[in-house]
Every structure is written in structure tokens, then in C-alpha cells.
Amino acid sequence: MFRQPFVLAVSAALLATLTVAAPAGSAPAEQAALNAASFKDAAGDSGAAPDFTDVDVGNDVVAGPIVFWIKLENRPTDLTGDDVVFLLIDVDRNPETGDEDGAEYAVGVDAESVWIDRWDGEAYVEMESSSLAATFFRSDRFLRVTIHPADLGGPSSFDFFVLSFAGEDVDAAPNGPPWWSYTLAGGRPSLLALGLLLNPKAPAAGKALTATMAVGRGDTLGLLDQGKVTCRLLVGGKALKAARAAFAQGLPQCRWNLPRAAKGKALKGTISASFGGSTAKKSFSARAK
């Protein structure tokens, strides 16, 4: 089942026209392609603190970073005031080592900054991490945290939980041990074609035709924003070379200049995006007016 974070990076205008929502009955092969993991926490149990409801985690099998998507149900705009969210990570998966909960690393995020501390056997000590980043997506109330596993000692799997604070109010997810677990994926990234926008919807002979596709990554639960774009279009059964085949605004895009002779002819096209040894594609058909 597709997770909402797939569509977070799409601009508002394009999102309004792209059909990127998951179909109710996704094909089993598409479901199996998602190697990220999803977890849920009860809503309404945080008081005034940020309320966790969904937590997704994956890892970029090409570039390496671990990606966390943390939904803050009661924060529609961002963390505010004295809000703090902590991501506690037990890299050796041994509750007897690390802090009192077994964690060796603690990532903290507030309204102004993100940082990481490492347990030194007695206390947490702040450390440097060039790969650590945090972004809040207002459209869906997701906090996205990324960090390279090398900055966590290079684990192949880990246990983790999240905590939030606002004054004296607290939320934890899960609410107690055992903590959630994740094993880093390898191999090729799974690419899922999510939607296609044809502009204009009614192609006109002698005018430009643009096809834009949204492609979800099953490893990071984000949108593919790099790779090779391949464009194919048949006009009345004859191939027409694309004038553009590239990423535009972070999405794969094809553009063709339809000849005047295309009027009344059938158009059959395909847009493909390839990255890391995997390919996603969408086909379309229309008739030039």
C-alpha cells in the first residue's frame, strides 16, 4: 500500500492535476516493491505535545541515507514554541547496552534546529553529522529526518522509537518496549509510476505536447527526482522524436512538437524514468485535434 509521503515533494499546482493517489487495489507486485516499513501509533494520546500517528522508515539503496517520515497529527504548520521531537536509535539492538532504554543515538528536532547526540556510557554527548537533516511538510504534517548509517556506526539493522515533549506533556511511539525494528534494504531501488499529466489534455496539431510523470521510490518513500528519461511517441503509427526528455521541477518530463500533419491522427506515447538499474513507465493515448 502506497504511503502518503510519495506525493509530498510535488508542487501544489501539479499535485492538483496529477493522479498520484494510491488505487484501492494496488497490484501485489507493487506492494512487494515497497521495502520501507510502516508503523502506527494511537492518535490523541499526547496532550499538548506533538502527536505521533504514523512513522515510516526506509533507506536510499543508491546513496545510502536512512529516511524517517514522522507524522505529527496535531501540528498543521510546524513544530512551535517548546516542542521537541526525539528519535532514539538502538543500533546494536541490545536493550542492555546504551542508555536506560537501550539507545546509543538520539536525534533531536525543534522549531529551529536538528542535532544528534551519542551515548558515551554515562551521558549523551553532541556529535557532528554532515548527513543529518530534517524537513517539515505542512501539506501532510510529516517530519522527514534523514541520516547516513555511517554516522550511526554503520548498522545493518536497528531498533528505534520516537518521543515528543511540549512542557510537561509527552508522547511516545511505540508506547513501550519492544521498540520498532528496521533492517536496511539493498539491491536496486523499486520505482513505482504513480501518475501522468498530459498537457494539453487535448493535444493539438502544430502545438507542443508535454507528458509529466510522478514516480515513487519504494526505498525512501519519496519521489524520484533524478535519472534518465526516455520518451516515445507514435503519431499515426510513425515515431516522432522528443524535443525534451529530462527532469523538470523534480519530475520526469517529455515534450514533443506535434506537426500540423498530425491533425486527426492517433497518438500513442510512453514516458519512462530509469535510475539505479530500475525503470518505471506510463503510457498514454490521445487523438490530435
Side-chain angles (χ1 to χ4, degrees):
M1 180 178 181
F2 298 142
R3 297 295 300 155
Q4 185 65 18
F6 274 122
V7 302
L8 294 179
V10 186
S11 66
L14 187 55
L15 181 58
T17 52
L18 271 171
T19 308
V20 295
S26 300
E30 291 178 331
Q31 292 179 353
L34 301 181
N35 51 39
S38 298
F39 307 93
K40 287 189 173 293
D41 185 58
D45 61 350
S46 66
D51 188 15
F52 305 123
T53 54
D54 296 89
V55 178
D56 302 311
V57 58
N59 66 284
D60 189 324
V61 298
V62 177
I66 302 168
V67 182
F68 297 89
W69 295 91
I70 304 169
K71 188 163 189 178
L72 309 179
E73 187 64 40
N74 59 348
R75 292 297 185 270
T77 58
D78 204 342
L79 297 174
T80 59
D82 58 354
D83 288 348
V84 183
V85 171
F86 284 104
L87 172 62
L88 286 301
I89 304 173
D90 178 2
V91 293
D92 65 5
R93 306 187 67 180
N94 182 356
E96 302 302 320
T97 60
D99 69 7
E100 62 182 6
D101 294 309
E104 286 81 29
Y105 295 90
V107 174
V109 184
D110 61 19
E112 299 180 350
S113 60
V114 56
W115 67 93
I116 181 170
D117 297 332
R118 179 178 58 81
W119 182 258
D120 70 357
E122 296 182 355
Y124 275 107
V125 178
E126 190 168 357
M127 58 175 279
E128 295 294 326
S129 171
S130 60
S131 70
L132 178 63
T135 306
F136 188 82
F137 293 87
R138 296 181 179 182
S139 60
D140 289 273
R141 308 182 186 190
F142 272 95
L143 175 65
R144 182 178 186 265
V145 177
T146 60
I147 188 169
H148 198 283
D151 288 341
L152 300 174
S156 59
S157 63
F158 56 87
D159 296 336
F160 73 99
F161 64 102
V162 287
L163 287 172
S164 67
F165 297 90
E168 296 183 356
D169 289 331
V170 181
D171 192 20
N175 293 318
W179 311 128
W180 291 325
S181 298
Y182 180 72
T183 298
L184 275 66
R188 299 181 301 172
S190 54
L191 303 182
L192 308 173
L194 301 178
L196 176 72
L197 170 65
L198 204 61
N199 185 29
K201 292 182 178 180
K207 302 290 185 179
L209 173 64
T210 301
T212 305
M213 177 173 61
V215 178
R217 292 185 57 168
D219 56 345
T220 65
L221 296 181
L223 287 174
L224 181 69
D225 60 3
Q226 60 183 306
K228 179 183 178 181
V229 179
T230 302
C231 308
R232 292 185 173 88
L233 181 66
L234 296 178
V235 181
K238 185 177 180 180
L240 178 66
K241 184 178 180 180
R244 176 184 176 84
F247 279 78
Q249 300 182 46
L251 297 171
Q253 188 176 90
C254 297
R255 188 181 77 242
W256 299 271
N257 295 319
L258 298 179
R260 293 185 181 278
K263 186 174 182 178
K265 293 183 179 179
L267 308 178
K268 293 184 178 181
T270 302
I271 176 172
S272 303
S274 300
F275 176 71
S278 298
T279 299
K281 66 179 180 180
K282 275 281 188 181
S283 299
F284 62 89
S285 60
R287 188 169 294 276
K289 63 178 183 178

